[in-house]
Amino acid sequence: ERQNGVCAICGQPETKTQRRGINLPVTPDSLHVDHDHVTGKVRGLLCYRCNTGIGKLRDNPDLLRKAADYIEKRSV
């Protein structure tokens, strides 16, 4: 409710979908509960893309900043 049903990072609703049963329609997944892996405290709700993105960079703020700098400096 606090996030109005959108990702805390990109501000978009979940785009990943799945079929939950053979005869059921394809529906959007729920937003993922993101948490601090050290403390276990919930940080917010993220879409699949943002959640896996920060996970692949090991929730490391320095790597996330370096990735952003890389993209900004090398965009064509």
Side-chain angles (χ1 to χ4, degrees), residues 2 20 22 34 68:
R2 282 187 284 175
R20 299 185 192 279
I22 295 172
D34 176 50

Side-chain angles (χ1 to χ4, degrees), residues 10-51:
C10 71
Q12 298 297 311
E14 180 59 75
T15 57
K16 186 173 184 250
T17 59
Q18 70 172 284
R19 187 179 308 275
R20 299 185 192 279
I22 295 172
N23 295 321
L24 296 175
V26 173
T27 58
D29 273 354
S30 299
L31 291 169
H32 300 262
V33 178
D34 176 50
H35 66 284
D36 184 305
H37 291 100
V38 174
T39 66
K41 291 184 179 180
V42 173
R43 294 186 283 217
L45 301 175
L46 302 179
C47 69
Y48 173 78
R49 287 181 178 157
C50 290
N51 190 47

Side-chain angles (χ1 to χ4, degrees), residues 55-69:
K56 289 182 185 290
L57 290 173
R58 301 181 298 264
D59 292 0
N60 182 320
D62 291 329
L63 285 177
L64 290 161
R65 285 185 199 95
K66 286 178 182 180
D69 290 344

